[in-house]
Amino acid sequence: AQGSGDGYVPAKEMFFGRGAIQLSWNYNYRGASTALTGSPETFCENPDLVATEEKYAWGAGLFFWMEHTKEGTTSHTECLKNYNFGGTLNNINGGLECPAHGGWHAEAVKLRLNRYCHAAKVLGLPNLLKIDGCAGLDDKFHNCVGDGSCSECIDFF
């Protein structure tokens, strides 16, 4: 069960991000493993399966996108029903980036915003999804455009 301590694995076991959406933390590996293999132990015993086997890399990403809940919602719901890019970010990496307090994660948010704007431009989207589902993201967006580190976002500002 997520967060219950079931299947606790020491940090030295390296449950770092792998797969299409960078599955991380042992409880997420257990959930994806159960969904994709029928056993919570498969990915805990061999977490590299998520990085080395295509069906598990993409399967884990789809599992997380569709099933991982935070604050009663999924990334899928935030994107397609609530039209909120910030909500997807909160679901995926919110504890580290919503809000991001300096260091690597503050820079990662800028990079993520710029890439999001670039993708929206390439796809010819007339505007961006809402970003208010991630605490502090609106401020980061304005600062990022203002300081030039989100040059891809100027057209959406």
Side-chain angles (χ1 to χ4, degrees), residues 64-65 68 70 74-76 78-79 84-100 105 108-110 112-113 116 130-131 133-138 140:
F64 194 88
W65 182 262
H68 179 266
K70 180 176 181 195
T74 66
S75 296
H76 180 75
E78 285 303 307
C79 182
N84 199 318
F85 174 74
T88 66
L89 179 55
N90 185 43
N91 190 289
I92 295 169
N93 232 11
L96 301 170
E97 297 181 5
C98 297
H105 293 290
V109 168
K110 288 181 178 182
R112 191 177 317 282
L113 283 167
Y116 171 53
K130 297 181 292 185
I131 58 175
C134 175
L137 192 59
D138 193 52
K140 288 284 185 209

Side-chain angles (χ1 to χ4, degrees), residues 10-25:
K12 68 180 181 176
E13 296 294 327
M14 302 302 292
F15 282 87
F16 58 84
R18 294 176 177 92
I21 297 188
Q22 298 291 289
L23 191 67
S24 56
W25 302 104

Side-chain angles (χ1 to χ4, degrees), residues 51-125:
T52 59
E53 294 211 20
E54 205 173 283
K55 67 181 179 181
Y56 294 139
W58 287 105
L62 288 169
F63 165 80
F64 194 88
W65 182 262
M66 299 297 291
E67 299 296 328
H68 179 266
T69 59
K70 180 176 181 195
E71 299 169 8
T73 189
T74 66
S75 296
H76 180 75
T77 298
E78 285 303 307
C79 182
L80 297 179
K81 219 173 161 186
N82 298 338
Y83 311 110
N84 199 318
F85 174 74
T88 66
L89 179 55
N90 185 43
N91 190 289
I92 295 169
N93 232 11
L96 301 170
E97 297 181 5
C98 297
H101 297 290
W104 160 246
H105 293 290
E107 291 305 309
V109 168
K110 288 181 178 182
L111 292 169
R112 191 177 317 282
L113 283 167
N114 203 45
R115 289 178 185 139
Y116 171 53
C117 292
H118 177 75
K121 283 170 65 174
V122 168
L123 291 170
L125 301 178

